[in-house]
């Protein structure tokens, strides 16, 4: 019997596991539209970019082994979006069904609320991805739309399912923090 899922901030030592989990998902799933798994150096660069913005980058452990990770990043790089994040969650195939995704997403929501953020979006690859859609719905996300045929992977067209969850009351009141520092083109 497995122990409880432990969620904690990621460390540099977790990067081999994070890289392997993401690589498996790139090669076998529709949760990402990448087709070639990035190497550990690239995964390190990406993680550092989120951490430099003060964003949460979490891992899940079962029995002392990293079996999933999640992070929140800017929804778009324009100042008006500084209170809105997009979540990403990846779970090792051998840990699916053990509550890892639910534990990661719950902790990610909590971490983003602690930052004073107001909206979290999920952009889910493949309208047939019932597990991810169901997970997000169970944690308060509402489906906002489907963009059909947005990507082509494994010989088929894939939809994007857009879901949204308010944080800290969403847009019901003015923000009470400065939000993320954003810039971009």
């Amino acid at each position: 019997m497995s122990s409880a899922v432990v969620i904690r901030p990621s460390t540099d030592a977790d990067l081999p596991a994070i890289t392997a989990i993401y690589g498996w998902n790139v090669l076998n799933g529709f949760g990402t539209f990448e087709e070639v798994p990035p190497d550990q150096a690239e995964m390190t660069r990406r993680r550092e970019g989120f951490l430099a913005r003060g964003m949460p980058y979490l891992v899940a452990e079962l029995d002392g082994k990293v079996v999933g990770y999640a992070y929140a990043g800017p929804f778009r790089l324009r100042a008006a979006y500084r209170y809105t994040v997009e979540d990403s969650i990846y779970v090792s195939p051998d840990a699916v069904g053990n509550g890892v995704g639910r534990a990661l997403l719950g902790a990610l929501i909590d971490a983003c609320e602690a930052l004073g953020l107001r909206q979290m979006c999920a952009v889910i690859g493949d309208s047939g991805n019932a597990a991810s859609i169901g997970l997000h719905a169970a944690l308060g996300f509402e489906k906002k739309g489907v963009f059909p045929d947005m990507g082509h992977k494994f010989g088929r067209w894939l939809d994007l399912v857009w879901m949204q969850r308010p944080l800290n009351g969403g847009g019901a009141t003015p923000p009470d923090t400065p939000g993320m520092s954003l810039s971009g083109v």
Side-chain angles (χ1 to χ4, degrees):
M1 181 170 145
S2 291
S3 60
V5 178
V6 174
I7 305 298
R8 61 172 176 75
S10 66
T11 67
D12 291 347
D14 299 321
L15 282 160
I18 289 169
T19 302
I21 291 166
Y22 187 66
W24 186 92
N25 280 274
V26 167
L27 295 174
N28 296 283
F30 299 119
T32 174
F33 281 16
E34 282 194 82
E35 296 179 316
V36 177
D39 63 16
Q40 188 171 318
E42 174 59 17
M43 293 298 287
T44 299
R45 185 194 67 74
R46 292 178 187 186
R47 178 177 162 267
E48 287 172 355
F50 291 109
L51 294 175
R53 290 189 188 276
M55 300 309 300
Y57 204 107
L58 309 173
V59 295
E61 290 183 346
L62 273 175
D63 299 323
K65 178 183 175 194
V66 173
V67 294
Y69 72 102
Y71 58 91
F75 174 67
R76 296 284 183 268
L77 295 177
R78 296 281 193 258
Y81 294 116
R82 67 189 172 274
Y83 299 100
T84 303
V85 291
E86 180 180 337
D87 74 77
S88 293
I89 303 165
Y90 296 97
V91 177
S92 175
D94 58 340
V96 170
N98 288 307
V100 173
R102 179 181 279 273
L104 280 166
L105 184 54
L108 194 63
I109 290 167
D110 291 346
C112 289
E113 286 193 321
L115 293 172
L117 301 173
R118 293 305 184 98
Q119 299 290 341
M120 184 176 280
C121 298
V123 182
I124 299 168
D126 189 15
S127 57
N129 189 343
S132 186
I133 294 167
L135 168 65
H136 283 84
L139 291 179
F141 286 74
E142 292 182 7
K143 189 184 223 181
K144 297 298 180 178
V146 176
F147 289 17
D149 305 328
M150 292 296 286
H152 192 268
K153 186 175 179 182
F154 302 141
R156 63 179 272 232
W157 286 104
L158 299 169
D159 301 338
L160 287 177
V161 177
W162 291 74
M163 298 183 79
Q164 180 181 354
R165 182 194 195 281
L167 305 172
N168 294 311
T173 59
D176 53 5
T177 66
M180 291 177 283
S181 174
L182 298 179
S183 62
V185 287

